[in-house]
Amino acid sequence: MAKRTLICDDAAFMRMMLKDILSKGGYEVVGEAQNGQRAVEQYAALKPDFVMMDTVMPEMDGVAALREIRKQDPAACVILCAADGEKKMLIEAVKLGAKGYIMKPYRAATVLEELKKTIG
């Protein structure tokens, strides 16, 4: 059975790109969110196996959303997606329990390789 994921990014194009990469890689995308607040809500409703979350978003950033998701589910598997210059946020996210991170721009092989290492 395919691992189920929730994708969270404020850019629809980035969500579409990740959805394509993950679907072709054998993962099931069960939901999409455009900000951290929606990701927290959808995590509670959908109970995905893992979350792919952008770091910088309006309303609630990825680190704050990670904190809230981990309050709901301390075992939650959240993987942050970041651009150069967001390393400080990634360090904080790892301290809060992020399982890994993927750097932008996305390359399908790199994304799938990181997921295999992180979630199997």
Side-chain angles (χ1 to χ4, degrees):
M1 190 162 117
K3 298 244 183 198
R4 302 168 65 248
T5 186
L6 168 63
I7 297 172
C8 181
D9 196 304
D10 56 317
F13 175 75
M14 298 304 265
R15 290 194 311 269
M16 185 177 64
M17 184 184 299
L18 265 181
K19 185 175 184 175
D20 184 58
I21 291 169
L22 295 173
S23 296
K24 287 179 180 174
Y27 298 94
E28 179 186 359
V29 178
V30 295
E32 296 181 36
Q34 68 275 16
N35 62 56
Q37 182 59 48
R38 290 286 299 140
V40 171
E41 294 164 4
Q42 286 195 27
Y43 185 87
L46 300 171
K47 303 287 190 231
D49 296 311
F50 68 102
V51 180
M52 299 285 297
M53 178 127 39
D54 190 18
T55 51
V56 178
M57 297 177 288
E59 293 186 45
M60 180 185 285
D61 67 32
V63 175
L66 166 66
R67 187 178 291 115
E68 292 303 312
I69 288 170
R70 299 268 303 167
K71 282 181 189 173
Q72 284 180 34
D73 178 5
C77 180
V78 179
I79 300 165
L80 274 289
C81 303
D84 274 344
E86 298 171 3
K87 300 236 189 242
K88 186 175 180 182
M89 289 182 85
L90 287 177
I91 291 167
E92 183 179 356
V94 169
K95 287 179 183 175
L96 290 170
K99 300 295 183 195
Y101 62 88
I102 295 171
M103 298 303 291
K104 296 178 184 179
Y106 300 127
R107 287 192 14 212
T110 305
V111 171
L112 296 174
E113 183 179 311
E114 184 61 32
L115 287 175
K116 281 185 180 155
K117 285 192 300 189
T118 307
I119 63 169

